[in-house]
């Protein structure tokens, strides 16, 4: 992998990640951009104890542009985009309309491929490995920023999820605090550790799932399963067999095997609703809307979680769709949005069976 860092016309950082070591990246951003002014601030809710990012400047961000005006495609001739070069493998840049900025953290965009009509599932294993290396590198770099406590790599796919740019891409949020979901996990880990005399909760969960009927696929280094208490109609958690706190901790065997495992999972997700009513891509292939979220240990101090260290956390990816059947979505209504109590219409065991049925050939 070759990494080349440069700057866009308004001063934002852009980084190329290339498969070939001899690739030269010297294209200049020719757009007449002024420096981005952000109004991001973090406000803490005194009742719930969580934090909200107030980012009113995002109202003006680009919304569903036509394909020939996509800002994530490479620049071609006089059609200039966020990527100055005429091609790329993987590229990461600071978001022009960030939810978090300055002392409130940082937001980055990760473009998985220059092919506008592709999706992550269409990548080769070599390309998917390069994305993993980019996620890992950004996690490392962002963790050293004084305002950053937790790094979150994720992908939203599909209009139903709220995606405003159709180009295959993900994002990285670098938060100045430990997120509420991670805090809940750490409290559970702390309580379980104390109650069992030191047993790790993540290890216990993985051991139980391996002995059950919800495993979707397993390899030498990875295990994918539908969790016992899945919140979403189709939800898969992907764990490395050896517990590590973050992407930096993955051993070489797990890194090598990840593209094969993850691409297989994504292809199975696209087959769940393969029939009338299912969303199709530009080539007429089935396409399931999903969110893919990496959970990593915070880099800040963990004193509030008694007896827990970063090494007690388990890196894992959660992949889920808001679609419950062809043509029907799972909406977060009164119980979910008002009380954070999820109601799942599909038994996790049935979801796991379906995901095993649609194994790619």
């Amino acid at each position: 992998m070759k990494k080349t860092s440069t700057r866009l016309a308004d001063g934002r950082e852009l980084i190329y990640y290339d498969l070939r070591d001899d690739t030269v990246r010297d294209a200049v951003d020719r757009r007449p951009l002024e420096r981005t002014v952000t109004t991001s601030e973090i406000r803490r809710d005194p009742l719930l104890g969580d934090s909200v990012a107030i980012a009113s400047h995002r109202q003006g961000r680009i919304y569903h542009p036509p394909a020939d005006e996509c800002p994530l495609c490479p620049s071609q001739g006089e059609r200039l985009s966020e990527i100055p070069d005429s091609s790329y493998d993987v590229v990461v840049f600071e978001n022009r309309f960030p939810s978090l900025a300055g002392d409130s953290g940082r937001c980055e965009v990760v473009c998985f491929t220059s092919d506008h009509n592709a999706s992550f599932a269409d990548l080769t294993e070599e390309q998917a490995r390069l994305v993993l290396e980019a996620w890992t590198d950004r996690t490392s770099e962002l963790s050293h920023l004084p305002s950053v406590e937790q790094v979150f790599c994720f992908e939203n796919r599909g209009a139903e999820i709220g995606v405003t740019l159709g180009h295959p891409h993900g994002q990285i949020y670098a938060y100045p605090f430990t997120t509420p979901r991670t805090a809940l996990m750490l409290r559970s880990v702390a309580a379980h550790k104390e109650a069992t005399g030191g047993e790790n909760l993540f290890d216990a969960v993985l051991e139980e799932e391996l002995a059950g009927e919800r495993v979707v696929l397993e390899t030498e280094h990875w295990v994918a399963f539908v969790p016992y208490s899945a919140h979403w109609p189709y939800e898969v958690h992907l764990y490395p067999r050896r517990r590590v706190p973050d992407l930096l901790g993955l051993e070489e065997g797990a890194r090598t095997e990840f593209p094969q495992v993850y691409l297989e999972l994504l292809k199975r997700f696209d087959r769940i609703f393969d029939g009338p009513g299912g969303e199709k891509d530009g080539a007429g292939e089935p396409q399931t809307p999903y969110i893919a979220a990496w959970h990593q240990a915070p880099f800040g101090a963990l004193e509030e979680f008694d007896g827990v260290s970063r090494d007690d956390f388990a890196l894992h990816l959660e992949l889920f769709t808001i679609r419950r059947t062809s043509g029907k979505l799972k909406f977060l209504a009164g119980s979910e949005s008002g009380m954070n109590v999820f109601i799942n219409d599909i038994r996790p065991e049935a979801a796991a069976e379906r995901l095993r049925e649609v194994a790619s050939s």
Side-chain angles (χ1 to χ4, degrees):
M1 178 191 79
K2 181 181 180 181
K3 175 183 175 182
T4 306
S5 180
T6 184
R7 293 282 172 179
L8 296 173
D10 56 5
R12 288 176 294 132
E13 185 178 18
L14 180 143
I15 307 159
Y16 294 98
Y17 293 90
D18 287 295
L19 293 169
R20 292 174 55 93
D21 290 337
D22 59 353
T23 303
V24 176
R25 299 294 185 186
D26 55 8
V28 176
D29 185 4
R30 295 180 285 128
R31 297 173 298 170
L33 295 181
E34 297 181 357
R35 285 192 172 272
T36 302
V37 177
T38 63
T39 57
S40 178
E41 62 174 307
I42 302 297
R43 297 186 180 182
R44 188 166 180 80
D45 187 316
L47 295 179
L48 297 179
D50 58 8
S51 299
V52 178
I54 309 296
S56 57
H57 63 277
R58 284 173 52 79
Q59 286 282 34
R61 66 187 186 275
I62 298 171
Y63 186 80
H64 291 302
D68 60 355
E69 296 179 17
C70 175
L72 306 185
C73 288
S75 293
Q76 298 290 339
E78 295 306 309
R79 190 180 71 79
L80 306 178
S81 72
E82 290 280 65
I83 296 90
D85 216 325
S86 59
S87 67
Y88 64 85
D89 291 333
V90 173
V91 70
V92 177
F93 60 88
E94 288 184 76
N95 197 321
R96 190 177 177 189
F97 302 96
S99 302
L100 309 166
D103 292 339
S104 298
R106 176 159 158 152
C107 292
E108 299 182 339
V109 177
V110 184
C111 297
F112 304 139
T113 172
S114 60
D115 185 352
H116 181 85
N117 296 314
S119 68
F120 201 117
D122 297 321
L123 301 183
T124 65
E125 291 186 15
E126 185 181 34
Q127 290 172 310
R129 170 66 186 259
L130 185 61
V131 175
L132 175 63
E133 296 306 323
W135 283 332
T136 305
D137 180 71
R138 297 315 301 152
T139 296
S140 176
E141 293 292 326
L142 292 170
S143 72
H144 290 97
L145 297 180
S147 63
V148 172
E149 189 167 312
Q150 185 173 357
V151 179
F152 176 46
C153 307
F154 65 100
E155 179 193 0
N156 300 325
R157 189 183 79 164
E160 298 97 327
I161 299 295
V163 173
T164 57
L165 296 175
H167 195 102
H169 73 288
Q171 299 180 66
I172 301 175
Y173 277 22
Y175 298 101
F177 51 80
T178 297
T179 61
R181 188 175 177 86
T182 302
L184 284 174
M185 292 184 195
L186 289 169
R187 291 189 188 100
S188 296
V189 168
H192 185 84
K193 189 174 185 179
E194 181 178 5
T196 60
E199 182 182 80
N200 183 273
L201 179 58
F202 287 107
D203 292 350
V205 167
L206 185 56
E207 182 180 354
E208 183 175 344
E209 292 293 355
L210 279 167
E213 57 182 311
R214 290 178 297 275
V215 172
V216 174
L217 63 86
E218 56 180 308
T219 62
E220 180 182 354
H221 297 282
W222 294 90
V223 178
F225 59 89
V226 177
Y228 170 75
S229 54
H231 289 53
W232 299 95
Y234 290 92
E235 175 181 342
V236 173
H237 293 189
L238 177 63
Y239 277 68
R241 287 184 184 268
R242 187 177 72 86
R243 172 165 42 92
V244 295
D246 51 43
L247 288 165
L248 283 71
L250 286 176
E251 59 188 2
E252 181 58 30
R255 291 184 179 280
T256 300
E257 202 175 70
F258 171 77
Q260 174 188 349
V261 174
Y262 188 49
L263 292 173
E264 171 66 18
L265 276 180
L266 293 181
K267 289 170 183 175
R268 292 192 191 192
F269 255 61
D270 279 342
R271 289 186 172 92
I272 298 173
F273 308 106
D274 189 3
E279 184 181 345
K280 308 290 183 180
D281 63 15
E285 294 297 320
Q287 191 172 72
T288 297
Y290 65 72
I291 292 174
W294 279 109
H295 290 264
Q296 306 191 81
F299 287 94
L302 301 179
E303 286 87 353
E304 63 179 293
F305 310 105
D306 294 337
V308 172
S309 69
R310 294 192 77 249
D311 290 337
D312 289 314
F313 194 86
L315 167 76
H316 64 283
L317 182 140
E318 297 184 8
L319 173 68
F320 60 90
T321 179
I322 63 171
R323 181 173 289 162
R324 55 190 175 88
T325 188
S326 294
K328 295 181 181 179
L329 301 180
K330 164 64 179 176
F331 292 103
L332 299 190
S335 185
E336 292 87 356
S337 295
M339 283 294 167
N340 200 29
V341 177
F342 276 67
I343 301 169
N344 193 346
D345 300 321
I346 297 177
R347 293 186 74 249
E349 292 75 19
E353 183 178 5
R354 175 60 179 159
L355 285 162
R356 289 193 295 266
E357 288 175 352
V358 295
S360 62
S361 56

